[in-house]
């Protein structure tokens, strides 16, 4: 890939994922079915993760997928599924011929892009060129850990006090009381 | 910024009082969970909390007496911080003292309620010390979350639950604004450090940068919510009414003082060095806060709602000091906060005594003829009302508080004269409701069917006695306090950031 096209290639994907995040979060807040809404939230999380990775914050991106899209959403869905939701057909968000066609098209487009990115002989990395002088993994995590435990140590420790107070408050409010 | 918390000496040097308070709060949290909840245990933990606050208070006094230095990096060590801490700690001690007895009466047996006051106070102390927007934000959240719970601590009261939910939702909304503002300010200046922000705005000429403008606007909205400035005051009357009375006193004094202290430091250190487009909106917010607070308070029948609107009005007066922003402004600000804290606590101590379990006895009509049955309570309430009004001599320190505020407003380079005039005019309006309470107590007969007021608890008596003594005592000898507050100015770590004479004149 020539350098000349790189900014275009980069910004195209940046806006693509940005649009995806916006569109899926819009869908997330407008869906009636909670399961469909949760799945759209997963899509939002993935688009955000892609944005993080493009911004050279690989660690945050991976965490986004693992923690938010993975763990938290599974718990979310689990709770939602325990509620009475009615028939499974109503949960489906992509209804009708056109909906299915659209879903299939988007899926195919994503597969095609993935193939293009992995099989292509060109260097199609979606990262900012400036990041090359940092060692890929060590640099990324160290650059998070160092400020967190040096410059922002106070904020980090204070957050733990904050969480402690919040947990205690939640327990106090959730305790059983004698009847009114 | 060359500040390393990994060095124990620096850590202890900067944060000893905060560490004492947080450590004490954690120990008491364990103590609170140690035994099954009961009235006696609640009382024990309450006294423990008073001891922790006392020790913290002494350490703050010790640091304050050592004199102010700029302090390392993100933690300010100036006298402004210690003075603000003293206000928070006094208010917290009053809250717990009132709370121990109020909890017994209302059947609240959670010993944790006192621990949450300690956590909230430590959050406030962090806010007063923070020179970094991130740390300020965490302090603010620590305070807010503890107070959300405290507002709803009376699980038997639906009003309390409603107030807690309202406060929580609007507070979370305000938090969003604040955080977004911080992010945009960071985006524009590349730093969350308040001093660095001020420096960069000046050196990069960011005065008209759109992102910075929006960021500061959002910050103002966030702080406006916390200090209940008009038009962000809607939550205050409902929440003040629904919360248990000691917590209402805590919110009206310490929570407001903390939000103001942080606001003051951010405004002075980061945004005051330059000619700002946000000066005019803040000017109008101050004007409307004074007008709306005082005028709406006139029509209130419930004393807690009346005091809530009065506290909104006082936010307006305090905004005047923020706008003045000078050395005198800082002194007047601290003086006013201290005077206001005492007067508020005295008033709420009486309200807590006169009210009955289940949020009864909170109407101003319940104060009719109080002088005839409980002369000391009536006299104490009268002194607090006069102090809040800023009445000379009988209002004690309240008069001087307003006096110094006016002085600060009139000696600044900005045009605050209309606001100063408005302060005087709205104070005259406020006589309508403050004197209304006094008239009810002294000039109306006690109704035949009035419910007998329970005996004043020992701790409530102490709180009332101390506040009245402070109001009148400091009213007679204010000069020492004035000297102390004059020396308590927020000090940026880098002296003389901007050469003299470059601050723009409006």
């Amino acid at each position: 890939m020539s350098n000349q096209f790189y900014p275009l290639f980069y910004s195209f994907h940046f806006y693509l994922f940005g649009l995806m995040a916006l569109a899926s979060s819009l869908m997330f807040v407008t869906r009636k079915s909670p399961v469909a809404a949760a799945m759209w939230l997963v899509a939002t999380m993935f688009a955000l993760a892609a944005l993080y990775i493009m911004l050279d914050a690989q660690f945050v991106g991976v965490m986004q997928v693992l923690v938010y899209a993975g763990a938290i959403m599974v718990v979310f869905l689990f709770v939602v599924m325990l509620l009475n939701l009615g028939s499974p057909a109503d949960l489906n968000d992509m209804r009708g011929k056109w909906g299915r066609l659209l879903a299939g098209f988007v899926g195919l487009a994503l597969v095609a892009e993935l193939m293009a990115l992995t099989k292509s002989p060109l260097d199609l990395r979606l990262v900012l060129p400036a990041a090359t002088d940092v060692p890929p993994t060590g640099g990324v995590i160290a650059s998070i850990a160092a400020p967190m435990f040096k410059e922002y140590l106070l904020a980090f420790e204070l957050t733990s006090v904050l969480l402690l107070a919040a947990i205690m408050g939640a327990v106090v409010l959730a305790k059983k009381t004698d009847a009114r | 910024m060359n500040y390393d918390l990994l060095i124990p000496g620096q850590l202890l040097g900067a944060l000893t009082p905060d560490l004492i308070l947080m450590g004490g709060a954690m120990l008491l949290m364990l103590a609170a969970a140690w035994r099954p909840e009961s009235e006696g245990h609640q009382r024990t933990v309450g006294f423990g909390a008073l001891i922790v606050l006392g020790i913290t208070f002494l350490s703050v006094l010790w640091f304050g007496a050592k004199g102010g230095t700029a302090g390392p990096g993100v933690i300010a060590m100036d006298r402004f911080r210690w003075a603000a801490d003293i206000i928070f700690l006094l208010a917290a001690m009053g809250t717990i003292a009132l709370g121990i007895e109020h909890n017994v009466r209302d059947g609240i047996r959670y010993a944790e309620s006192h621990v949450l006051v300690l956590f909230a106070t430590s959050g406030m102390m962090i806010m007063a010390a923070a020179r970094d927007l991130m740390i300020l934000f965490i302090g603010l959240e620590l305070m807010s979350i503890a107070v959300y719970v405290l507002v709803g601590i009376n699980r038997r009261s639906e009003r309390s639950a409603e107030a807690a939910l309202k406060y929580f939702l609007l507070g979370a909304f305000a938090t969003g604004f604040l955080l977004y503002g911080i992010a945009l300010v960071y985006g524009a200046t590349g730093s969350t450090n308040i001093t660095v922000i001020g420096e960069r705005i000046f050196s990069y000429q960011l005065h008209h940068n759109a992102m910075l403008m929006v960021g500061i606007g959002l910050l103002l909205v966030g702080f406006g919510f916390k200090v209940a400035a008009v038009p962000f005051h809607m939550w205050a009357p409902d929440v003040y009414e629904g919360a248990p009375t000691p917590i209402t006193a805590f919110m009206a004094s310490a929570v407001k003082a903390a939000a103001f202290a942080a606001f003051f430091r951010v405004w002075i250190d980061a945004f005051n060095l330059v000619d700002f487009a946000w000066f005019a909106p803040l000017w109008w917010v101050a004007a409307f806060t004074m007008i709306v607070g005082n005028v709406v308070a006139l029509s209130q029948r419930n004393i807690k709602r009346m005091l809530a609107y009065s506290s909104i009005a006082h936010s307006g007066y305090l905004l005047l000091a923020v706008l003045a922003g000078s050395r005198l402004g800082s002194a007047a600000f601290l003086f006013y906060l201290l005077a206001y804290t005492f007067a508020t606590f005295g008033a709420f101590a009486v309200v807590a005594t006169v009210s009955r379990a289940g949020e009864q006895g909170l109407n101003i009509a319940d104060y009719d003829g109080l002088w005839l049955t409980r002369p000391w309570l009536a006299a104490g309430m009268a002194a607090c009302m006069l102090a809040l009004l800023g009445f000379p001599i009988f209002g004690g320190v309240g008069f001087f508080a307003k006096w110094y505020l006016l002085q600060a407003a009139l000696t600044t380079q900005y045009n605050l004269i209309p606001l100063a005039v408005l302060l005087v005019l709205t104070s005259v309006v406020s006589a309508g409701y403050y004197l209304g309470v006094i008239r009810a107590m002294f000039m109306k007969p006690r109704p035949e069917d009035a419910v007998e007021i329970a005996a004043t608890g020992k701790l409530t008596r102490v709180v009332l006695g101390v506040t009245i003594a402070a109001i009148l005592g400091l009213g007679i000898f204010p000069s020492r306090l004035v000297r102390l507050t004059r020396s308590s100015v927020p000090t940026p770590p880098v002296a003389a950031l901007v050469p003299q004479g470059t601050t723009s004149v409006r």
Side-chain angles (χ1 to χ4, degrees), chain A residues 1-25:
Chain A
M1 176 128 224
S2 65
N3 276 338
Q4 182 186 354
F5 288 113
Y6 190 77
L8 184 66
F9 183 69
Y10 182 86
S11 52
F12 169 74
H13 281 91
F14 192 87
Y15 286 112
L16 178 75
F17 286 121
L19 271 179
M20 272 172 69
L22 271 181
S24 12
S25 50

Side-chain angles (χ1 to χ4, degrees), chain A residues 5 15 38 42 57 62 84 90 103 109 126-127 148 153 175:
Chain A
F5 288 113
Y15 286 112
V42 172
V62 171
N84 192 11
D90 293 342
L126 279 174
V127 289
M148 185 182 267
L153 179 67
K175 254 188 195 169

Side-chain angles (χ1 to χ4, degrees), chain A residues 149-150 152-156 158-159 161-162 164-166 168-170 172-180, chain B residues 5-6 15 22 26 29 37 75 110 112 115-116 119 126 135 138 141-142 145 149 152-153 155-156 158:
Chain A
F149 291 103
K150 277 184 182 160
Y152 295 109
L153 179 67
L154 182 62
F156 182 74
L158 283 175
T159 310
V161 179
L162 168 66
L164 189 68
M168 196 179 71
V172 169
L173 284 187
K175 254 188 195 169
K176 261 190 199 161
T177 41
D178 20 331
R180 279 156 209 247
Chain B
L5 281 174
L6 300 173
L15 285 169
M22 284 179 194
M26 285 176 207
M29 185 178 74
E37 55 189 52
I75 293 297
Y110 304 121
E112 284 87 352
V115 185
L116 283 165
F119 274 124
I126 295 294
I135 291 174
I138 293 169
E141 278 309 286
L142 181 54
I145 285 181
V149 179
I153 198 96
R155 299 273 310 283
R156 287 194 192 79
E158 271 167 27

Side-chain angles (χ1 to χ4, degrees), chain B residues 244-273:
Chain B
T245 307
I247 303 306
T248 312
F250 191 55
M251 289 174 69
S253 55
V255 172
K256 176 166 285 193
F260 258 117
F263 185 21
F264 198 80
R265 193 188 287 280
V266 170
W267 186 258
I268 301 297
D269 270 10
F271 304 134
N272 202 37
L273 294 172

Side-chain angles (χ1 to χ4, degrees), chain B residues 19 32 50-51 98 101 119 145 157 175-176 195 200 224 234 246 374 376 471 485 493:
Chain B
L19 290 178
L50 279 179
I51 292 169
L98 291 182
E101 282 169 357
F119 274 124
I145 285 181
S157 159
T175 296
T195 321
R200 290 204 180 146
M234 292 308 194
R374 303 292 292 275
W376 287 108
I471 289 171
T485 51

Side-chain angles (χ1 to χ4, degrees), chain A:
Chain A
M1 176 128 224
S2 65
N3 276 338
Q4 182 186 354
F5 288 113
Y6 190 77
L8 184 66
F9 183 69
Y10 182 86
S11 52
F12 169 74
H13 281 91
F14 192 87
Y15 286 112
L16 178 75
F17 286 121
L19 271 179
M20 272 172 69
L22 271 181
S24 12
S25 50
L26 264 181
M27 295 296 275
F28 160 56
V29 291
T30 50
R31 291 307 89 186
K32 275 201 186 112
S33 146
V35 176
M39 294 318 289
W40 280 111
L41 186 58
V42 172
T44 313
M45 299 293 183
F46 269 102
L48 282 182
L51 283 180
Y52 284 136
I53 287 172
M54 289 183 67
L55 288 172
D56 217 21
Q58 290 89 343
F59 181 71
V60 184
V62 171
M63 279 296 135
Q64 177 85 8
V65 172
L66 283 182
V67 177
Y68 283 96
I72 292 181
M73 282 318 297
V74 167
V75 175
F76 228 70
L77 275 177
F78 193 70
V79 173
V80 168
M81 295 284 192
L82 286 176
L83 305 170
N84 192 11
L85 289 172
S87 74
D90 293 342
L91 298 180
N92 198 343
D93 212 29
M94 290 291 173
R95 269 176 246 157
K97 193 170 66 175
W98 289 108
R100 271 173 217 186
L101 268 180
L102 182 69
F105 173 73
V106 172
L108 275 180
L110 282 177
V111 170
E113 173 140 13
L114 201 61
M115 297 288 277
L117 282 173
T118 47
K119 302 285 180 191
S120 159
L122 301 170
D123 183 16
L124 285 177
R125 283 175 309 150
L126 279 174
V127 289
L128 289 171
T132 42
D133 53 341
V134 185
T137 49
V140 172
I141 296 167
S143 63
I144 291 168
M148 185 182 267
F149 291 103
K150 277 184 182 160
E151 285 165 73
Y152 295 109
L153 179 67
L154 182 62
F156 182 74
E157 295 293 344
L158 283 175
T159 310
S160 59
V161 179
L162 168 66
L163 290 177
L164 189 68
I167 291 170
M168 196 179 71
V171 170
V172 169
L173 284 187
K175 254 188 195 169
K176 261 190 199 161
T177 41
D178 20 331
R180 279 156 209 247

